[in-house]
Amino acid sequence: MKTYQPKQSEVKRNWHLIDAKGAVLGRLATQVATYLIGKHKAEYSTHMDSGDYVVVINAKEVKVTGNKEKAKTYYSHSGYPGGFKEVKLSKLRLDRPARIIQLAVKRMMATNRLRDKRMARLKVFSGETNQFKDKFTK
């Protein structure tokens, strides 16, 4: 018997709509990452990008547990001297609520060549409305 190896041309990408209202951030991010990577498919292969498109709505209403709303801090550095920045979760929720989910999902994926391609298929909206309504077949 030979092991079946899917080809990139055979990959069929579906669309998934996920409502983040009342969902816990970490559990939501693992579900989204699974769809983007393609691990929910029977023909999953580690070296190929076989994931689906994911649209997340109501990003501003995602929940966090414990004291994370005040204590969780996001760090970044521009690479230049004095380029260190830190932002609290509560401030990020006010300014860019979609960024919270994007960062959580991005940091759950492996840092390899496929991550940017997978993240390009993630669409996050802070409210109910989105321009991808006609893509879903449910």
Side-chain angles (χ1 to χ4, degrees):
M1 286 198 66
K2 300 255 183 178
T3 303
Y4 173 70
Q5 287 292 326
K7 294 176 179 50
Q8 193 65 42
S9 59
E10 297 171 357
V11 173
K12 183 176 182 298
R13 300 195 193 279
N14 299 320
W15 286 76
H16 300 276
L17 177 66
I18 298 175
D19 191 359
K21 185 184 286 188
V24 177
L25 178 62
R27 293 177 185 268
L28 174 77
T30 55
Q31 181 185 9
V32 171
T34 301
Y35 286 138
L36 289 174
I37 294 169
K39 281 193 169 185
H40 64 289
K41 295 183 176 183
E43 60 271 3
Y44 168 71
S45 184
T46 56
H47 70 284
M48 264 182 40
D49 188 14
S50 59
D52 294 339
Y53 290 91
V54 179
V55 177
V56 180
I57 57 173
N58 293 322
K60 64 183 172 193
E61 298 179 32
V62 70
K63 290 192 318 185
V64 290
T65 58
N67 194 30
K68 291 186 192 88
E69 192 69 40
K70 296 175 189 151
K72 185 168 178 63
T73 309
Y74 294 95
Y75 301 101
S76 64
H77 197 283
S78 66
Y80 290 99
F84 180 74
K85 295 178 186 171
E86 57 182 55
V87 180
K88 295 283 185 190
L89 176 67
S90 55
K91 179 161 176 22
L92 195 61
R93 187 184 298 274
L94 294 173
D95 297 341
R96 298 174 68 190
R99 189 82 177 129
I100 296 170
I101 295 176
Q102 288 172 345
L103 285 172
V105 172
K106 183 176 183 177
R107 292 172 181 181
M108 282 191 179
M109 289 192 198
T111 309
N112 57 21
R113 295 181 188 188
L114 300 175
R115 185 172 71 172
D116 289 338
K117 294 177 187 174
R118 290 171 175 164
M119 286 301 295
R121 288 195 310 272
L122 173 64
K123 316 295 181 196
V124 184
F125 297 95
S126 58
E128 284 276 340
T129 59
N130 65 76
Q131 65 262 32
F132 301 103
K133 293 176 200 150
D134 57 336
K135 302 280 186 185
F136 307 104
T137 56
K138 289 187 179 182

